[in-house]
Amino acid sequence: MSKDIKKLIAYFNYLGIKFNINSFEERFQIQKIAFILKTMGMELNYNFHLWKHRPYSSSLAKDYYDINNDNHNFNNSGYIIPEREKIILDKFINIFDTNIIQMESASTIMLLNLTYEDVELVEKKMKEIKPHLSDMDIINGQNKAKELLFKDEFLTDELKSEMMEWDNID
């Protein structure tokens, strides 16, 4: 079993999400979450590309099919999650709360490098490849992508002060 799949199994257990590949939807969820976590800074050696309008890694698919064939116990991979990675996982939990549509929208926006693009452009491009998503799903996905990629070190005292002023406007 690869080190990366051990990490993912540990991450899923930490997140409280069942690591299961019995259906397309479950495999799709594994691909989305792995892509998002990698983009957030987790050290995973999977390469992702756009496949059928979503992030996909063939090496990740190979890994989870291989361990499934070995009847592996998905409750414990033996990987101990370092504190730095727990911070990323906690951020993921706080932002998504396992909302599948938001994950779908955010992961595709991140893969297409549209996170910081104009909303109208993002909506147009996303509607071309994901017509089932509403405008609000796309806007929420873009906002979630921004939250996921925002690093606390970017939050200067000046920016904190400005944000507090905006929060206090009635």
Side-chain angles (χ1 to χ4, degrees), residues 8 29-38 44 48 60:
L8 271 180
Q29 181 177 11
I30 291 170
Q31 293 278 347
K32 280 186 295 205
I33 292 172
F35 171 76
I36 291 169
L37 291 175
K38 179 177 179 170
L44 296 168
F48 290 86
L60 171 55

Side-chain angles (χ1 to χ4, degrees), residues 15 28 46 66 87 94 109 111 116 121 146 148 158-159:
L15 294 169
F28 179 37
Y46 297 118
D66 285 349
I87 292 168
N94 290 332
I109 286 168
L111 181 69
Y116 300 105
L121 174 68
K146 288 175 184 176
L148 290 166
E158 181 181 345
L159 187 54

Side-chain angles (χ1 to χ4, degrees), residues 69-87:
N69 290 337
D70 293 341
N71 295 319
H72 180 75
N73 177 0
F74 294 117
N75 294 323
N76 185 4
S77 69
Y79 180 75
I80 307 299
I81 303 172
E83 284 305 312
R84 179 191 71 76
E85 292 179 350
K86 286 181 181 178
I87 292 168

Side-chain angles (χ1 to χ4, degrees), residues 14 40 42 81-92 152:
Y14 185 88
M40 290 177 70
M42 294 297 217
I81 303 172
E83 284 305 312
R84 179 191 71 76
E85 292 179 350
K86 286 181 181 178
I87 292 168
I88 293 171
L89 293 169
D90 289 341
K91 185 175 184 178
F92 178 91
D152 289 337

Side-chain angles (χ1 to χ4, degrees), residues 20-21 29-30 33 39 41 46-47 52-53 55 78 92 107 117 122 137 146 151 154-155:
N20 194 341
I21 66 163
Q29 181 177 11
I30 291 170
I33 292 172
T39 304
Y46 297 118
N47 294 317
K52 294 194 177 192
H53 313 299
F92 178 91
S107 64
E117 294 295 330
V122 174
D137 292 334
K146 288 175 184 176
K151 303 207 181 315
F154 298 153
L155 196 55

Side-chain angles (χ1 to χ4, degrees), residues 108 112-114 117 119-131 138:
T108 305
L112 296 175
N113 203 22
L114 297 172
E117 294 295 330
V119 168
E120 288 82 24
L121 174 68
V122 174
E123 286 178 342
K124 181 178 184 259
K125 287 187 176 188
M126 289 291 287
K127 285 289 188 178
E128 290 172 5
I129 61 172
K130 293 189 175 281
I138 295 167

Side-chain angles (χ1 to χ4, degrees), residues 41-70:
M42 294 297 217
E43 294 178 16
L44 296 168
N45 292 312
Y46 297 118
N47 294 317
F48 290 86
H49 62 279
L50 191 64
W51 181 75
K52 294 194 177 192
H53 313 299
R54 59 186 54 96
Y56 179 78
S57 168
S58 57
S59 56
L60 171 55
K62 180 185 180 323
D63 277 356
Y64 58 63
Y65 281 123
D66 285 349
I67 60 171
N68 192 53
N69 290 337
D70 293 341

